[in-house]
């Protein structure tokens, strides 16, 4: 698998649900000769949506990796989900990819998940270009979508293609072609020949003036990167095509612009230029700065690894596919060469792993290989302890890369096995699913025997429930979803906890004074610190008190036992006796102080607030606004777009269960919506009262 680094492209196709990501990917595979037919999402025949659940629902749930060649380049492409419940799949893929193709629907424009994936790409500094898809749809608006990319995403899109017409064939000015502004040619696409062909011809007279205006707009932002280009343009001299492409690439890699192309993937229009743009404008592993990390063996001294096969090996685990005979671990190799049957170091866990087998991944298929080098994405079998976000490296050259952060879950559901025989099987299955999905949580309640599973939304939990019942044939009772609340305090309290207790025939005594207070955005949910001097109490006794406070903080709050957050506990003082003051006494006193302080500092129940985006016919706008207000929500903004109303609202998750049914009722099935976690906010007292014990 060792290839020339400059010819490798590690890219992701990202977008809002139903913008056409998977269709774009299918066309790429077909035109590159990797597949011999174009799969259809509606028919469940696509290469990358190979899971049964994906084919039934017609959406992407799990990211899939495929490799193909295009014009002498090797493209490792990951097709990602568009539904917000599976945004973690996008998060971990963007963490390891070098470039991105962001797909927008020309009709819907910039949608909710479009904003989310764009922010994720910004966070990981991923160079990208945009493809405005579905130009053949009713209401398609190229210029409107371009303006939304600029205004809503705070981006700098530069059109390098423009469409001729927009909409389906029955319209007077239907979408019928693409003008390439770099070469100033009309592109037409013949899908009836084999292989499908792209034909270049002169731009029609009636489109020439418009094309020249757009070309000038394209060239203007490039002047900052190439003075020669500016001089040629101002002198009205011919500008070499290679110079324009080189400058576009330079500006794209510098995150200063995002080239924009257009077409209709379903009709096979505009996809070959997208493939060309991947090779022209997106980075190779050589164009990415050396990865940075720390050396845990040298007190976290900074380390870097260049994308060079001769450097010490370094890679990042970004996905795990569990299997009975050995998990398949997806690894992005940043430096060095990885061979079968080699020993690796996991510096984050300080353990050694065995790389037994290496596999080249092609959607549902895989082929075994002996070695893989810098820039490759491979599947590894043999790792036993490594999880998503872990670094793997040469045992003699340790480096620890930044891990992958995932959002907190907001919704839970209780399941319980119908028999004791099912309990162990359920436990093993849930552990396997947690390895696969880092946003999935499962905790067993010893009191009720129920297992609480948590996820990112109703669809996320529904997919998990289907897998448990259908794929793993588990006989379990499934309860309704419920909200994942949090707890904090609204004020501050200074209290003293005491221990006056006879334990094992010995009278124990201790006093611990603490300050418990609310803090915004701490590095960890509950911070425990001390300001107690060693003059009064030996440090080992204070440490026992602090450990008890940490355990109490991790155990949950006093309203409903929900996880605590935004809290700082400071040990201020302690008091001991000559006899009977030991670690146990100080732990008991600290526990007493914690309970007193939590009650005195005004405990607050926090509920997840969701960002809800609704697209509905304008005549239903008032109905939706009224419905949101009834659900304790507030309208953030409304706007009109192509005869439809776009509503952004913020509402408690507890009031949004089953919202899709209510939405269909309000709009006779013509509205659509998406929601994503926004923040945690104090819940009304009447909600908190339902949990008070």
């Amino acid at each position: 698998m060792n290839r020339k680094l400059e010819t490798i492209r590690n890219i992701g196709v990202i977008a809002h649900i139903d913008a056409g990501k998977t269709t774009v990917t299918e066309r790429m595979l077909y035109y590159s000769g990797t597949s011999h037919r174009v799969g259809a999402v509606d028919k469940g025949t696509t290469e990358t949506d190979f899971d049964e659940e994906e084919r039934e629902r017609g959406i992407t749930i799990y990211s899939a990796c495929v490799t193909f060649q295009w014009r002498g380049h090797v493209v490792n492409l990951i097709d990602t989900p568009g539904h917000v419940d599976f945004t973690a799949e996008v998060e971990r893929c963007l963490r390891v990819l070098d470039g991105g193709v962001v797909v927008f629907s020309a009709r819907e424009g910039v949608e909710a998940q479009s904003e989310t994936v764009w922010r994720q790409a910004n966070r990981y500094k991923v160079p990208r270009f945009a493809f405005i898809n579905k130009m053949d749809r009713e209401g398609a608006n190229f210029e409107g979508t371009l303006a939304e990319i600029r205004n809503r995403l705070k981006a700098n899109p530069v059109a390098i293609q423009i469409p001729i017409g927009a909409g389906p064939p029955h319209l007077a000015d239907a979408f019928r072609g693409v003008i390439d502004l770099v070469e100033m040619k009309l592109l037409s696409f013949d899908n009836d020949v084999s292989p499908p062909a792209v034909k270049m011809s002169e731009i029609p007279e009636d489109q020439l003036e418009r094309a020249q205006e757009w070309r000038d707009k394209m060239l203007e932002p490039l002047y900052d990167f190439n003075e020669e280009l500016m001089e040629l343009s101002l002198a009205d001299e011919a500008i070499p095509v290679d110079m324009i492409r080189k400058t576009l690439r330079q500006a794209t890699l510098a995150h200063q612009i995002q080239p924009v192309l257009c077409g209709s993937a379903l009709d096979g229009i505009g996809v070959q230029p997208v493939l060309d743009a991947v090779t022209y404008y997106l980075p190779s592993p050589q164009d990415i700065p050396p990865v940075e990390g720390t050396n845990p063996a040298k007190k976290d001294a900074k380390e870097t690894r260049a994308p060079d096969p001769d450097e010490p090996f370094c890679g990042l685990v970004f996905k795990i596919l569990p299997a009975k005979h050995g998990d398949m671990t997806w690894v992005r190799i940043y430096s060095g060469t990885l061979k079968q049957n080699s020993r690796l170091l996991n510096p984050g866990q300080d353990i050694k792993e065995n790389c037994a087998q290496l596999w080249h991944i092609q959607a549902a298929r895989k082929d075994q290989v002996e070695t893989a080098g810098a820039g490759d994405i491979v599947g590894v079998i043999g790792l036993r302890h490594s999880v998503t976000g872990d670094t793997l490296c040469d045992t003699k050259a340790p480096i620890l890369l930044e891990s992958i952060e995932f959002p907190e879950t907001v919704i839970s559901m209780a399941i319980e096995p119908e028999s004791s025989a099912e309990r162990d099987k359920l436990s093993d299955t849930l552990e396997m699913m947690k390895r696969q999905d880092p946003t999935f949580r499962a905790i067993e309640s010893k009191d009720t025997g129920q297992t609480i599973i948590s996820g990112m939304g109703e669809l996320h939990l529904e997919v998990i429930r289907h897998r448990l019942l259908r794929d793993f044939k588990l006989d379990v009772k499934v309860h309704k979803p419920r909200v994942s609340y949090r707890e904090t305090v609204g004020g501050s309290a200074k209290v003293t906890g005491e221990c006056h207790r006879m334990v094992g025939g010995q009278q124990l005594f201790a006093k611990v004074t603490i300050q418990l207070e609310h803090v915004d955005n701490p590095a960890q949910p509950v911070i425990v610190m001390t300001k107690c001097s060693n003059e009064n109490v030996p440090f080992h006794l204070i440490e026992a008190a602090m450990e008890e406070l940490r355990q109490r903080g991790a155990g949950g709050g006093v309203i409903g036992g929900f996880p605590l957050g935004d809290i700082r506990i400071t040990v201020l003082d302690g008091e001991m006796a000559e006899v009977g003051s030991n670690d146990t006494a100080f732990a008991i006193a600290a526990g007493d102080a914690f309970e007193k302080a939590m009650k005195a500092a005004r405990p607050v129940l926090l509920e997840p607030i969701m960002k809800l985006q609704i697209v509905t016919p304008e005549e239903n706008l008032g109905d939706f606004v009224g419905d949101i207000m009834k659900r304790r929500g507030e309208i953030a903004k409304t706007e009109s777009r192509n005869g439809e109303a776009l509503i952004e609202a913020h509402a408690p998750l507890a009031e949004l269960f089953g919202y899709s049914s209510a939405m269909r009722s309000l709009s006779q099935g013509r509205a659509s919506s998406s929601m994503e976690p926004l923040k945690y906010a104090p819940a009304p007292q009447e909600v908190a009262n339902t949990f008070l014990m």
Side-chain angles (χ1 to χ4, degrees):
M1 289 184 70
N2 290 315
R3 312 169 179 122
K4 292 182 178 179
L5 282 174
E6 61 268 21
T7 65
I8 295 178
R9 298 290 184 272
N10 292 314
I11 67 166
V13 181
I14 55 179
H16 185 91
I17 189 170
D18 203 32
K21 297 178 309 302
T22 302
T23 305
V24 170
T25 303
E26 283 297 309
R27 286 284 175 180
M28 287 180 169
L29 295 175
Y30 177 62
Y31 293 142
S32 66
T34 304
S35 62
H36 302 293
R37 61 171 176 78
V38 181
V41 173
D42 295 340
K43 296 178 182 178
T45 57
T46 60
E47 180 97 356
T48 53
D49 287 350
F50 51 83
D51 184 82
E52 187 176 348
E53 192 85 22
E54 294 177 309
R55 289 179 169 172
E56 282 186 8
R57 296 179 182 274
I59 63 172
T60 302
I61 296 174
Y62 309 106
S63 54
C65 184
V66 290
T67 300
F68 58 88
Q69 295 199 12
W70 182 257
R71 302 197 192 284
H73 290 72
V74 176
V75 181
N76 295 317
L77 181 148
I78 296 184
D79 180 31
T80 61
H83 197 286
V84 69
D85 283 16
F86 309 106
T87 190
E89 288 281 340
V90 185
E91 186 83 28
R92 59 181 168 191
C93 292
L94 284 175
R95 171 68 174 80
V96 299
L97 292 173
D98 300 330
V101 179
V102 189
V103 181
F104 297 93
S105 166
R107 185 176 185 275
E108 284 77 18
V110 175
E111 300 178 87
Q113 187 67 358
S114 307
E115 296 185 52
T116 301
V117 298
W118 197 271
R119 287 196 304 269
Q120 290 172 313
N122 285 342
R123 185 162 61 251
Y124 293 118
K125 296 182 174 60
V126 177
R128 73 214 80 143
F129 67 81
F131 176 62
I132 298 180
N133 191 25
K134 301 189 178 183
M135 283 302 306
D136 61 329
R137 292 290 183 90
E138 192 108 32
N141 187 341
F142 176 79
E143 292 187 39
T145 303
L146 197 68
E148 286 192 4
I149 294 172
R150 179 177 295 107
N151 299 329
R152 292 184 62 178
L153 302 180
K154 307 297 185 241
N156 188 18
V158 174
I160 62 173
Q161 289 180 351
I162 56 171
I164 300 179
H170 68 266
L171 297 180
D173 189 25
F175 176 57
R176 56 194 182 277
V178 171
I179 293 176
D180 184 331
L181 300 174
V182 176
E183 298 205 37
M184 284 299 278
K185 296 288 184 181
L186 172 67
L187 304 182
S188 55
F189 301 84
D190 188 350
N191 292 297
D192 295 328
V193 298
S194 184
V198 181
K199 297 179 181 178
M200 281 191 176
S201 57
E202 297 304 316
I203 300 172
E205 283 290 331
D206 62 336
Q207 296 289 333
L208 202 53
E209 184 179 346
R210 173 172 169 261
Q212 189 59 54
E213 288 178 5
W214 278 95
R215 180 179 166 90
D216 292 341
K217 291 180 185 177
M218 174 190 74
L219 294 175
E220 189 173 340
L222 303 183
Y223 295 159
D224 292 337
F225 294 89
N226 192 324
E227 288 188 7
E228 185 182 355
L229 185 148
M230 180 175 64
E231 291 168 0
L232 290 173
S233 179
L234 293 176
D236 203 20
E237 295 183 21
I239 304 173
V241 168
D242 288 346
M243 180 185 292
I244 297 176
R245 286 184 178 144
K246 182 179 179 181
T247 310
L248 279 167
R249 177 181 179 81
Q250 184 183 353
T252 303
L253 298 190
H255 308 283
Q256 297 301 307
I257 69 164
Q258 296 81 36
V260 179
L261 298 85
C262 61
S264 169
L266 190 62
D267 291 338
I269 299 175
V271 177
Q272 292 97 324
V274 169
L275 286 165
D276 290 337
V278 167
T279 65
Y280 290 145
Y281 309 124
L282 294 185
S284 73
Q286 275 189 333
D287 298 312
I288 302 299
V291 290
E292 296 182 351
T294 57
N295 187 337
K298 297 182 180 179
K299 297 183 179 180
D300 292 334
K302 285 189 176 182
E303 293 271 353
T304 60
R305 292 286 186 274
D308 185 339
D310 295 327
E311 285 252 325
F313 168 75
C314 166
L316 187 76
V317 174
F318 69 99
K319 181 164 179 169
I320 296 174
L321 295 179
K324 291 181 180 179
H325 306 295
D327 294 353
M328 171 73 76
T329 303
W330 290 14
V331 177
R332 163 65 197 267
I333 301 176
Y334 286 106
S335 66
T337 302
L338 181 60
K339 299 179 180 179
Q340 287 193 145
N341 299 313
S342 56
R343 291 285 284 174
L344 304 172
L345 174 66
N346 181 328
Q349 298 191 41
D350 194 23
I351 55 174
K352 291 185 178 179
E353 293 271 37
N354 181 42
C355 169
Q357 298 175 2
L358 286 178
W359 294 84
H360 164 232
I361 307 162
Q362 187 71 11
R365 307 189 307 273
K366 55 185 186 291
D367 302 306
Q368 194 166 357
V369 294
E370 293 185 0
T371 64
D376 282 326
I377 293 175
V378 292
V380 177
I381 291 180
L383 308 182
R384 299 185 60 188
H385 306 286
S386 298
V387 296
T388 298
D390 279 359
T391 303
L392 297 172
C393 62
D394 191 314
T395 55
K396 298 177 181 177
I399 182 174
L400 180 62
L401 303 178
E402 181 184 356
S403 188
I404 309 173
E405 297 294 329
F406 295 103
E408 284 295 315
T409 58
V410 296
I411 187 170
S412 303
M413 182 169 66
I415 59 173
E416 49 189 320
E418 293 284 9
S419 65
S420 56
E422 293 285 293
R423 187 175 300 278
D424 291 340
K425 184 180 177 183
L426 174 63
S427 178
D428 292 342
T429 302
L430 293 178
E431 282 300 318
M432 183 183 74
M433 293 176 76
K434 284 197 290 184
R435 293 201 305 275
Q436 180 179 8
D437 185 351
T439 60
F440 173 61
R441 306 279 186 271
I443 302 173
E444 184 178 347
S445 169
K446 295 180 181 178
D447 298 331
T448 64
Q450 291 181 334
T451 296
I452 308 300
I453 61 173
S454 304
M456 299 304 298
E458 284 188 272
L459 180 59
H460 191 191
L461 288 187
E462 190 178 328
V463 168
I464 290 168
R465 180 171 64 86
H466 279 190
R467 292 191 67 194
L468 291 173
L469 298 175
R470 182 179 63 187
D471 296 352
F472 298 106
K473 305 292 189 294
L474 278 163
D475 187 13
V476 293
K477 185 188 297 181
V478 181
H479 298 261
K480 289 183 178 180
R482 66 187 193 187
V483 175
S484 295
Y485 291 96
R486 299 284 187 270
E487 293 185 40
T488 188
V489 293
S492 175
K494 179 181 177 181
V495 301
T496 299
E498 301 183 11
C499 171
H500 298 282
R501 191 177 297 183
M502 184 72 72
V503 177
Q506 182 182 14
Q507 180 67 41
L508 298 184
F509 171 82
K511 286 186 179 181
V512 175
T513 301
I514 67 170
Q515 176 93 23
L516 188 147
E517 57 196 326
H518 178 90
V519 290
D520 287 322
N521 299 319
Q524 57 200 72
V526 180
I527 299 173
V528 179
M529 55 189 294
T530 179
K531 290 184 179 178
C532 183
S533 67
N534 290 348
E535 297 175 4
N536 298 338
V537 181
F539 183 73
H540 72 90
L541 296 179
I542 296 299
E543 182 58 40
M546 292 174 66
E547 181 58 33
E548 177 67 19
L549 292 169
R550 291 188 192 98
Q551 292 183 13
R552 292 296 187 104
V558 296
I559 298 177
F562 298 111
L564 286 168
D566 293 352
I567 286 177
R568 181 168 61 206
I569 307 171
T570 307
V571 180
L572 300 175
D573 201 0
E575 185 178 332
M576 59 180 288
E578 291 185 7
V579 179
S581 293
N582 56 18
D583 290 2
T584 302
F586 271 80
I588 293 171
D592 181 51
F594 177 84
E595 292 181 7
K596 289 178 179 177
M598 280 296 299
K599 293 175 181 176
R602 291 187 286 115
V604 176
L605 181 70
L606 300 174
E607 63 179 350
I609 305 297
M610 308 299 286
K611 177 182 176 182
L612 179 65
Q613 289 213 339
I614 306 161
V615 179
T616 178
E618 287 190 336
E619 60 263 30
N620 300 120
L621 174 61
D623 296 330
F624 275 93
V625 170
D627 183 67
I628 291 295
M629 305 300 266
K630 289 178 185 176
R631 297 172 184 270
R632 295 196 284 119
E634 58 183 39
I635 305 299
K637 66 179 179 181
T638 62
E639 60 183 72
S640 180
R641 182 200 297 164
N642 298 329
E644 293 181 322
L646 174 67
I647 307 168
E648 182 182 315
H650 303 160
L653 175 61
E655 304 291 339
L656 295 176
F657 285 134
Y659 186 72
S660 56
S661 299
M663 178 185 66
R664 284 194 296 270
S665 175
L666 288 170
S667 66
Q668 291 77 50
R670 293 184 294 165
S672 62
S673 72
S674 66
M675 67 176 79
E676 60 180 303
L678 178 67
K679 62 181 179 180
Y680 271 87
Q685 189 58 46
E686 56 266 27
V687 176
N689 290 341
T690 62
F691 296 104
L692 288 172
M693 305 169 185

